[in-house]
Amino acid sequence: MAMLLFGIQGLFAQSYGAQYTKMHVVNVELDGSVTIQVSGQGRYQKDAMDQARKNAVYNVIFKGMKMEDQNSLIVRPLIYEVNAAEKYASFFNSFFADGGDYVNFVTMSDRRVGTSTRTKNKKDKQVGWTTTVRVLRPQLETFLIERGIIKK
C-alpha cells in the first residue's frame, strides 16, 4: 500500500482556522491537481467538511506535502514567501471565508462511498470529518498570480 503522507505518519500539521488536522496525499494527478485525504472539525458536519476543504487548500498554498520518511517535497507549496499569510491577510481572510473563493479550487469528485469518516467529541461539542478532496493546484496557482500574491 503506497501512500504519500504529509510529514511523518501521526504528525499533525497546523492548519488555517482549525487547531490541527491530519492529512496525506492519495495521488498527484498528471494535470498537477492533488488528491488528499484530510480532516476538519466544526460544530456541525457541514462546518467540519468545509474546514477539511479549507485545510487542504491552505496546505497546498503554504506548506506543501512530503512523502513519509523522506525530506523531499512531493507537492511544493505555491507560496515560499516568509509570513505571506500575514502580509496578505486581508486577501486570505476573504479567500478562506465561508463560501469564499477557495471553494472554486477544491472538489469532492474523488471521494468514494465509505471513505469519509465522522467522529464526535461530546466534551467539546465538535464533529470531526475525514474525507478525500482534490485541490486544483494549477488553477489555484494561476488565480494567485492574477491577484498579485505570487510573482512569476
Side-chain angles (χ1 to χ4, degrees):
M1 180 165 145
M3 281 195 183
L4 305 176
L5 298 179
F6 179 75
I8 300 169
Q9 189 170 1
L11 180 68
F12 292 92
Q14 190 163 3
S15 294
Y16 190 85
Q19 287 182 335
Y20 294 97
T21 185
K22 188 169 26 175
M23 66 177 55
H24 68 269
V25 177
V26 175
N27 197 10
V28 178
E29 307 296 331
L30 293 176
D31 67 355
S33 62
V34 185
T35 304
I36 305 168
Q37 187 173 29
V38 63
S39 64
Q41 291 187 357
R43 179 80 168 109
Y44 302 102
Q45 181 175 329
K46 183 189 180 316
D47 297 335
M49 289 174 63
D50 289 343
Q51 190 61 51
R53 288 189 283 256
K54 288 178 186 180
N55 292 340
V57 173
Y58 179 84
N59 280 282
V60 167
I61 293 173
F62 293 107
K63 296 188 180 280
M65 315 264 170
K66 294 182 181 179
M67 194 162 128
E68 181 181 13
D69 298 329
Q70 293 188 15
N71 292 328
S72 62
L73 288 172
I74 295 303
V75 179
R76 299 198 183 284
L78 290 174
I79 299 178
Y80 288 98
E81 185 177 345
V82 177
N83 297 326
E86 291 81 18
K87 182 178 179 181
Y88 302 109
S90 61
F91 171 81
F92 285 112
N93 286 341
S94 63
F95 180 81
F96 284 110
D98 291 342
D101 287 331
Y102 80 94
V103 298
N104 300 321
F105 305 102
V106 64
T107 177
M108 305 288 281
S109 63
D110 287 341
R111 191 177 72 172
R112 302 288 181 254
V113 175
T115 60
S116 296
T117 58
R118 180 177 182 253
T119 57
K120 203 169 190 180
N121 182 340
K122 291 182 182 181
K123 179 181 174 191
D124 297 330
K125 297 183 180 176
Q126 292 280 315
V127 173
W129 189 260
T130 302
T131 191
T132 304
V133 299
R134 180 182 289 188
V135 178
L136 306 173
R137 191 175 186 278
Q139 293 88 332
L140 179 57
E141 182 177 22
T142 302
F143 178 81
L144 294 174
I145 290 170
E146 290 170 354
R147 301 301 185 278
I149 306 298
I150 299 176
K151 313 307 188 256
K152 247 328 183 176

